[in-house]
Amino acid sequence: MMSSSGVTTPEPGTSSTEEAARTGVGGVVSSQASSQGDQVPRPNNNVQRIQQRKKQVFNWPHSKKFLKLAIYSACQADTCKCNGWKAPTPLARSPRADASQPLANFTDPCRSCTHDLRSHVTHLESLDENELNKLLGMVVDVENIFMAMHKEEDEETKRVYYYLFKLLRKCIMTKTTPSTSEGPLGQPPFETPSIHRAVSNFVLLKFANTTQREYSTMSDLAKMFLHCLNHWNFESPSVKKNTVSNEDFSLYKIHFTRWLVFCHIPAFCDSFPHSETTQVFGRSLLRYVFRSVRRQLKEKIKNEKSRMPMEKRYLVLNNFPRFLAQLEDEVYSPNSPIWDVDFKLELPPHLAHLQPGATNARRPGEFEKLMVLPNDKDQFTTINLTPGVGKKHARSETGTLSDQHAKRARLEDSIEDISDQTIAQIIATINDPSCMAGPEHSVFPENAPRDAAVKVEESKGLIRFHVVGNSLSQSVSKQTMLWLIALQNVFSHQLPRMPKEYITRLVFDPKHRTLALIKDNRAIGGICFRMFPEQGFTEIVFLAVTSNEQVKGYGTHLMNHLKDYHIRKNVLHFLTFGDEFAIGYFKKQGFSKDIRLPRQFYQGYIKDYEGAALMHCEIDPRIVYTEFTAVVRKQKEIIKKLIEQRQQEVQKVHPGLTCFRDGVRSIPVESIPGILETGWKPAARSTRALQHSPEESHDHETLQQTLRQVLNTIKGHNSAWPFLKPVDKNEVPDYYEHIKFPMDLKTMADRIKSHYYVSRRLFIADMTRIFTNCRLYNSPDTEYYRCATVLEKYFQTKMKELGLWDK
C-alpha cells in the first residue's frame, strides 16, 4: 500500500536550465526530454523540492513518523507475515505535501493482519532521531521511485526502477543501508581512463602550445561539456536498437542500466550512492552518445543564441563548435593518445601554473593553500588557514569562464600580445633587488597596502588564522574552547551596544563559526559568521579586533582570509548589517548597499538589526584575496616597465597642435601626429553602432521591436519586481496623493502594444518617471529606492548598447 506523500517526482526527461546556467551553459539546453530520445540536463528544481520535502518529513512529530514507517515495516508479532501496516480506512490523499492528515492511534488494527499499529513499530522505538530520519528519507525515495516507475513508458527503464524500488523497500524493512554495487552490474568505475580524464588529456594534447588565454578558454569549455554529460538524459536502449548492431546494442543496454542505477536515479534519490557519469564511464559509452549529444547541443545553441548574454554567446558560438569537432575526431579515432592510461604531457612554462594538482614549493608572491590540522580534522571544529605548501590556482575546479573573462577575451583579440620572453625579463628585473631603484631596494616601498605588515607577521609565524566553532556532537578541544571564550570577550568589549548574552549565544552556537586571529596563542580578533551553503551566501554577524591591536591592517587581512576560505567552500556572497561606524570598513572590503543577491535567497534567513544597513559583497572565485594587493601592484610595475620600453623605442618629438587656434573645434584622435607610432589603435566600432538607430531610419516597426526587447530585458532583471505592475491603492492608500503621474512596466508594455511610442524619447521619459516616482515616495534607505537605482543604471546601459541613448 502506498500512502499519500504529496511528493513531486522528477520525471526522467524533464529539465531545468537553472543548473546549466549556474555553470556557464545557460541558454544552451532546455525544453523537454523523454524516453524517445530527447536529451537535456537532469532536473534541478525537482531535486530541490524533494530535499525540501525530506526536511518537512524530518520535522514531523514522532507519532506521525512512526505512522509513515509502519506502512513499510513488517509486523513484529509472532508468525505474522504482514509486510506493512494498512489503515482500516484508507487515508485521504491530499494535493498538498504539507497538508495535515488525521493520525492513526497505536491501538488501531491493521487491515491486513488485524494486529495494532504498535506491532509494526516496536522495533523502531529504540532508534535515535538520526536513524529515524534516515529511514524516512528512504521512504520518500521509495515513493518517488514508485511514481517515476508508473510514469516511465520504456519497459527496460521501468524494470530498473522496479528493481531499485524493491531493494529500497527491503532496506527499510531490515533497517540496512542500500547498496547497488553487489549485483551483476558490478561497481564503479566501469572503464579506464574515465571520460573526465580523457577530455582533460584532450585539452592538454591540442592546446598546450597555445596562448594562456586560449588554453584557459578551452579548459572552461571542457568543464562545460563534462557538466552537460553529468546532467544528460541518455537515449533508452529501445531507441538505440534500430541504429546499432546487436553486439553494440547489448553493450549499450548494460551501460544504460549502470547509468540509471549509479548516476541518474541517485541524483534525486540520495539513499543510493551517487556517481558522476564522466568519472565512472569511459570511451565505450562516450562513443555511443557523443554524436547525438553534439547534434542536439548545436541545435539548442542555434535556437537559443538570442537569449544568451552577449559574453556567453561569444564564448559558445565562436569556440564550442570547434572544440566539439576536434574532440569528436579523438573520440572515434582508433589510435587517439587521450585514451592511453599512461598519457602524460607537461605544460610549457608559461602555462605550468594552470596544471591541476600542481604542488610546487611555495615562493613569495605565489598562492596559498588551505590546510586542516591533523589533530583536528576528525572534529571539524578548527581549520588552519596559515599559509602552507602548494598553489591555489586550480581551486575552482567546477567553475566556467565568467562574463568578465569573456569581455577581456574579446578585448584581447584587438590588442597585440606581448611576448612571453618580454614579460619574463620584466618580472626578473622587478624581482631582482640589484636592478631596483631606491634606497630600500623594494618593489613597492611607497604606499604599501595596509595588510603588507600583517602578511610579514604571518610569514614569520607571529600570527595565525583558524576557523573555530563549537560542536554538540563532537568533542571540542580545550584550546578551541579557550579561543572561543577569548573571542566572546573581544566582541563584548568592542561591540558595547550588542547584548553580551546575544554575543555569547551566537559565538558558541554550533551553526556559527568564527575566523580567529591568533597572536601569542591568544585570540585578539575575529569574524563570527554563519554559512547558508544551500542559499549560496554567508551572514557576517560580528567583526572586531581588540583595541590595542587596531589600525594595523588585521581587519583587512581577516576579511581576505575569510573570502579565500569561502571560495574553497564555493559560497560566493557575503551579507551583513553594518552600523554607521562599520559601513566605511565594509566599503573598503568590497561591500555595497546595492544588494545584487536576489531577495528570495536570503529573506527569512538573515537576522535584522535596527539602525544598521544591509550590505552585500560578491566574491570572485578567480582571485586569491590574501595575495590580491601584491599581484595588482606587480602588474602595475610590469605596465610601467612596458611604458618605459616603448618610450625608449619612440624617441621622435612632435610639435604641438596649432589647429585649434584656427577655430577647429575637434579632430580625430588618430590624426594627432605620432599617436599611431606609439602602438595606439582606434577602438573597433560595433556593427550596431555603424547602423542608423531605429528612430533615425524612421522605421516605426523596428523601433517598436527594439523597445519591446528592452522592456522585456528590464522586466527580467532581479531589481524590477517593485515596478512590474501599478501600485495597489488598497495596499498603499496615500501613494496617489503624492504621485500625480504614476507609471509602471505593465503600463509601458500596453503602450508598446498600442504603438504609443513614436520616438525613443517618449519611451525614455516613461521609464525615467518610474524611477523618479519611486525616489519621490520612498526614503533612500529602503529596498525600493535601491532597486530603482540599480534598475536605472541597467536601463541606461541597455539603451547605450542599442545606440538609443545620447545623454
Side-chain angles (χ1 to χ4, degrees):
M1 166 183 168
M2 300 301 297
S3 68
S4 173
S5 65
V7 178
T8 302
T9 307
E11 302 177 31
T14 56
S15 72
S16 168
T17 59
E18 179 179 337
E19 176 70 12
R22 185 172 56 84
T23 53
V25 197
V28 175
V29 285
S30 66
S31 79
Q32 294 286 331
S34 68
S35 60
Q36 305 306 317
D38 296 330
Q39 296 94 8
V40 292
R42 187 167 53 240
N44 187 51
N45 289 339
N46 284 330
V47 175
Q48 293 176 350
R49 283 195 287 270
I50 291 171
Q51 294 303 321
Q52 185 65 32
R53 168 61 178 167
K54 287 188 176 182
K55 291 181 180 178
Q56 293 174 359
V57 173
F58 295 161
N59 291 327
W60 280 356
H62 269 70
S63 56
K64 193 172 182 180
K65 289 183 179 180
F66 282 136
L67 172 60
K68 173 65 76 172
L69 291 173
I71 297 171
Y72 297 90
S73 300
C75 182
Q76 303 300 304
D78 295 339
T79 69
C80 184
K81 298 181 179 180
C82 178
N83 63 357
W85 185 80
K86 299 174 179 60
T89 302
L91 296 174
R93 291 185 175 273
S94 170
R96 291 184 54 193
D98 57 348
S100 59
Q101 298 179 356
L103 298 181
N105 296 318
F106 283 99
T107 57
D108 289 349
C110 173
R111 183 154 42 95
S112 294
C113 67
T114 69
H115 294 115
D116 60 14
L117 173 62
R118 186 177 297 277
S119 300
H120 288 77
V121 296
T122 52
H123 63 299
L124 303 176
E125 294 176 349
S126 60
L127 299 181
D128 61 23
E129 195 71 18
N130 290 332
E131 293 174 322
L132 276 179
N133 288 342
K134 181 179 178 181
L135 291 176
L136 286 166
M138 294 166 63
V139 167
V140 174
D141 287 342
V142 160
E143 295 175 348
N144 287 326
I145 292 177
F146 180 82
M147 287 185 283
M149 176 177 63
H150 282 273
K151 293 179 180 180
E152 179 59 49
E153 298 178 357
D154 183 72
E155 292 300 325
E156 295 287 343
T157 305
K158 183 173 291 190
R159 278 196 285 269
V160 175
Y161 277 107
Y162 184 61
Y163 162 73
L164 295 178
F165 168 76
K166 291 197 302 182
L167 174 62
L168 205 51
R169 282 217 60 173
K170 181 180 178 181
C171 291
I172 297 172
M173 196 171 300
T174 57
K175 297 185 296 184
T176 57
T177 301
S179 174
T180 53
S181 60
E182 298 176 357
L185 295 175
Q187 57 184 1
F190 305 111
E191 299 178 85
T192 56
S194 66
I195 297 174
H196 185 281
R197 180 70 266 166
V199 173
S200 301
N201 293 343
F202 163 75
V203 175
L204 282 174
L205 178 68
K206 294 294 185 180
F207 307 105
N209 295 320
T210 60
T211 63
Q212 177 175 335
R213 180 175 64 82
E214 184 173 1
Y215 179 81
S216 298
T217 299
M218 292 303 170
S219 297
D220 290 321
L221 290 174
K223 295 171 186 175
M224 184 187 299
F225 175 73
L226 292 172
H227 174 80
C228 283
L229 286 183
N230 284 329
H231 297 81
W232 203 265
N233 280 353
F234 297 122
E235 294 172 324
S236 62
S238 60
V239 177
K240 282 280 187 182
K241 188 173 184 179
N242 298 326
T243 60
V244 297
S245 63
N246 291 335
E247 181 181 354
D248 287 340
F249 172 74
S250 299
L251 185 56
Y252 180 76
K253 186 176 178 181
I254 295 173
H255 283 320
F256 182 79
T257 304
R258 286 172 169 172
W259 171 76
L260 278 177
V261 172
F262 293 96
C263 304
H264 179 64
I265 296 176
F268 63 87
C269 295
D270 56 10
S271 299
F272 297 108
H274 176 256
S275 299
E276 294 286 359
T277 303
T278 58
Q279 296 288 355
V280 298
F281 291 98
R283 186 176 193 173
S284 179
L285 176 66
L286 188 59
R287 281 186 164 188
Y288 288 125
V289 304
F290 183 85
R291 286 198 171 104
S292 63
V293 170
R294 178 193 175 192
R295 182 184 67 254
Q296 294 184 44
L297 269 177
K298 291 176 67 175
E299 290 175 358
K300 295 301 179 184
I301 291 172
K302 181 179 179 180
N303 295 334
E304 303 186 10
K305 62 182 180 180
S306 60
R307 285 181 280 175
M308 297 183 199
M310 181 64 68
E311 299 79 13
K312 198 166 296 179
R313 187 189 314 170
Y314 173 84
L315 171 67
V316 173
L317 295 181
N318 288 273
N319 295 298
F320 207 27
R322 177 166 64 96
F323 173 88
L324 293 175
Q326 295 186 32
L327 179 58
E328 183 177 11
D329 294 338
E330 300 301 322
V331 169
Y332 294 101
S333 172
N335 301 315
S336 175
I338 70 173
W339 300 103
D340 187 351
V341 293
D342 298 321
F343 178 90
K344 289 184 180 179
L345 182 64
E346 296 294 333
L347 286 175
H350 71 286
L351 296 177
H353 65 283
L354 298 177
Q355 178 70 47
T359 55
N360 300 30
R362 182 177 183 270
R363 298 187 296 272
E366 291 185 343
F367 295 147
E368 300 177 348
K369 180 180 179 182
L370 305 182
M371 300 184 67
V372 179
L373 289 176
N375 59 334
D376 286 327
K377 65 183 180 180
D378 294 331
Q379 299 178 14
F380 293 100
T381 56
T382 303
I383 299 177
N384 178 26
L385 298 186
T386 302
V389 177
K391 297 182 180 181
K392 206 174 178 182
H393 293 280
R395 62 184 174 186
S396 183
E397 291 293 334
T398 59
T400 58
L401 189 68
S402 68
D403 294 344
Q404 294 179 355
H405 193 145
K407 291 179 181 178
R408 186 165 61 250
R410 285 189 299 162
L411 181 62
E412 289 176 355
D413 285 340
S414 61
I415 299 178
E416 181 182 357
D417 285 339
I418 301 169
S419 67
D420 297 330
Q421 182 179 2
T422 301
I423 296 297
Q425 292 175 351
I426 293 175
I427 292 177
T429 300
I430 64 178
N431 286 337
D432 184 3
S434 62
C435 298
M436 298 304 298
E440 289 83 12
H441 301 293
S442 173
V443 178
F444 311 114
E446 298 180 0
N447 301 322
R450 295 190 61 185
D451 62 344
V454 182
K455 291 169 65 175
V456 173
E457 290 186 38
E458 187 179 10
S459 63
K460 293 180 179 180
L462 301 178
I463 59 175
R464 293 172 294 154
F465 296 86
H466 298 273
V467 175
V468 297
N470 196 11
S471 175
L472 298 180
S473 58
Q474 303 281 347
S475 60
V476 182
S477 65
K478 180 180 178 181
Q479 182 62 77
T480 297
M481 192 57 65
L482 290 174
W483 284 341
L484 287 174
I485 295 172
L487 289 165
Q488 185 266 342
N489 289 331
V490 171
F491 293 143
S492 298
H493 283 91
Q494 299 302 320
L495 306 172
R497 295 195 296 178
M498 198 70 66
K500 291 185 179 181
E501 297 80 4
Y502 179 70
I503 293 176
T504 303
R505 178 162 62 87
L506 294 190
V507 170
F508 289 94
D509 177 15
K511 296 179 181 179
H512 288 71
R513 291 286 182 267
T514 303
L515 173 61
L517 169 59
I518 309 301
K519 186 173 185 178
D520 298 330
N521 208 33
R522 295 184 302 106
I524 64 171
I527 303 176
C528 181
F529 60 93
R530 179 176 178 182
M531 296 179 68
F532 296 92
E534 294 182 354
Q535 304 302 116
F537 79 95
T538 282
E539 177 191 9
I540 296 178
V541 185
F542 308 126
L543 188 156
V545 176
T546 187
S547 56
N548 60 336
E549 298 286 356
Q550 292 181 3
V551 201
K552 295 183 179 180
Y554 288 142
T556 297
H557 205 48
L558 268 169
M559 186 61 71
N560 288 338
H561 264 306
L562 188 67
K563 291 176 180 178
D564 284 347
Y565 172 76
H566 277 75
I567 290 174
R568 178 189 174 105
K569 301 293 185 182
N570 199 30
V571 178
L572 304 180
H573 294 273
F574 285 165
L575 288 174
T576 187
F577 277 91
D579 58 20
E580 65 270 25
F581 303 106
I583 287 178
Y585 164 81
F586 282 116
K587 284 185 177 180
K588 293 178 182 178
Q589 307 307 318
F591 286 74
S592 170
K593 293 183 181 179
D594 295 331
I595 313 301
R596 295 181 296 276
L597 186 67
R599 186 174 58 167
Q600 61 267 27
F601 284 94
Y602 64 85
Q603 188 175 27
Y605 290 88
I606 188 170
K607 295 176 282 291
D608 293 327
Y609 296 92
E610 294 182 0
L614 182 62
M615 304 188 74
H616 169 251
C617 175
E618 184 174 359
I619 309 171
D620 191 329
R622 298 169 298 157
I623 296 176
V624 179
Y625 284 89
T626 49
E627 299 288 348
F628 182 65
T629 54
V631 171
V632 171
R633 285 174 172 265
K634 186 165 290 188
Q635 289 173 342
K636 291 173 63 177
E637 190 71 15
I638 292 173
I639 293 174
K640 287 170 59 179
K641 292 293 182 182
L642 289 172
I643 293 174
E644 291 176 3
Q645 289 183 4
R646 184 57 58 92
Q647 287 177 339
Q648 293 174 1
E649 295 172 3
V650 184
Q651 294 293 339
K652 186 176 180 180
V653 178
H654 295 271
L657 297 174
T658 60
C659 57
F660 298 108
R661 288 183 297 184
D662 300 330
V664 177
R665 298 289 299 273
S666 63
I667 60 173
V669 177
E670 56 267 25
S671 66
I672 300 175
I675 193 71
L676 296 178
E677 287 85 340
T678 63
W680 179 87
K681 295 180 181 180
R685 300 178 65 187
S686 65
T687 56
R688 179 178 293 167
L690 294 174
Q691 301 172 353
H692 292 294
S693 69
E695 186 176 3
E696 292 172 348
S697 64
H698 303 287
D699 187 348
H700 182 71
E701 290 299 325
T702 303
L703 175 63
Q704 298 300 310
Q705 183 178 359
T706 304
L707 296 182
R708 188 180 297 108
Q709 176 185 349
V710 173
L711 186 62
N712 291 336
T713 304
I714 296 298
K715 290 166 69 176
H717 194 273
N718 290 335
S719 297
W721 59 270
F723 318 111
L724 294 175
K725 59 183 180 180
V727 176
D728 190 346
K729 185 182 297 184
N730 296 326
E731 295 179 359
V732 190
D734 65 335
Y735 181 82
Y736 293 95
E737 297 176 7
H738 298 277
I739 303 302
K740 302 302 181 183
F741 303 98
M743 183 54 60
D744 60 277
L745 298 177
K746 182 180 182 301
T747 301
M748 292 186 65
D750 295 338
R751 288 189 170 188
I752 288 181
K753 292 179 181 178
S754 63
H755 300 278
Y756 168 84
Y757 298 116
V758 295
S759 71
R760 60 185 170 90
R761 291 182 176 81
L762 287 174
F763 182 83
I764 294 174
D766 276 357
M767 188 69 72
T768 304
R769 186 177 299 279
I770 294 177
F771 308 132
T772 304
N773 290 345
C774 179
R775 295 192 186 96
L776 179 63
Y777 184 82
N778 300 284
S779 59
D781 59 344
T782 61
E783 188 169 2
Y784 300 103
Y785 195 103
R786 289 193 292 269
C787 286
T789 301
V790 172
L791 195 62
E792 184 177 33
K793 293 179 181 178
Y794 182 76
F795 166 68
Q796 293 177 2
T797 301
K798 285 297 176 184
M799 295 294 284
K800 290 175 183 177
E801 290 177 356
L802 295 171
L804 298 175
W805 190 268
D806 55 3
K807 296 183 179 180

